[in-house]
Amino acid sequence: MAVKAAAMWFEPNADKRVGVDTDAARLVTASALARAIMRKIKATRWSEVLESGVPEPIHLTAAQIRLLDEHGSVLAYLGPKSKILACPECGRWMIAAGTMPKKCSSSLDCAAELIKMVDFKLAKVPPDLDL
C-alpha cells in the first residue's frame, strides 16, 4: 500500500514579505511564488509548470492562483536563476540574475528603491493571507 504524501502549500517568509500592496509588489510576490513552484518541481521555465500543472501534494490557494494568472505574461520570462524586481514609483519591472540593483534605472528621472523578490517556503497548512 502506497503512502500518500501530506498536502503542502507555499507561504512567504514572514520576515521577508513585501509590506505594501501595489502592482509592483504584487508582481514581485507572484514571481517569488512562481520561482518556488519551479524549484520544487525542478522546472527551468514557467511554461513547464503551465504545461504539466502543479503536482500533488502541492496546493495553491485561490488568491495565489489569481496572483499567478494576473502576472502570467511576465512570469513567462522567469528562468531558474532570474529574479524580477519592480519599481514602486514608475511601475517598471526588470529581470536580473546575479547582483541585484538597489535603485531603479528604468528612466532618467526615477531613482526609487526597487522592490526585491521575497522568498516562499513550504507550509503544512494553508497560508492565511490574501495576496
Side-chain angles (χ1 to χ4, degrees):
M1 172 189 253
V3 176
K4 188 174 182 180
M8 59 182 95
W9 291 264
F10 285 104
E11 65 182 2
N13 283 332
D15 58 330
K16 296 183 179 180
R17 185 169 181 202
V18 175
V20 292
D21 187 20
T22 62
D23 288 340
R26 290 179 60 76
L27 170 61
V28 168
T29 303
S31 66
L33 176 58
R35 279 194 29 122
I37 294 167
M38 289 169 57
R39 274 194 312 271
K40 185 65 181 168
I41 67 171
K42 297 178 176 49
T44 58
R45 308 299 286 150
W46 181 243
S47 60
E48 293 175 33
V49 177
L50 296 177
E51 290 167 7
S52 64
V54 178
E56 290 286 338
I58 298 171
H59 298 280
L60 298 175
T61 66
Q64 289 173 333
I65 292 169
R66 281 193 309 275
L67 185 68
L68 293 171
D69 286 345
E70 184 181 319
H71 299 288
S73 60
V74 177
L75 299 179
Y77 295 104
L78 276 180
K81 295 185 182 190
S82 60
K83 294 183 179 182
I84 293 178
L85 308 157
C87 179
E89 297 295 321
C90 69
R92 293 186 172 110
W93 56 272
M94 65 183 72
I95 295 178
T99 304
M100 303 293 146
K102 291 185 186 254
K103 303 279 185 183
C104 179
S105 60
S106 296
S107 67
L108 294 174
D109 51 333
C110 185
E113 191 168 325
L114 294 169
I115 298 173
K116 295 184 177 160
M117 193 166 8
V118 296
D119 292 323
F120 271 71
K121 63 182 180 177
L122 284 174
K124 298 286 183 198
V125 296
D128 184 25
L129 54 104
D130 185 26
L131 299 173

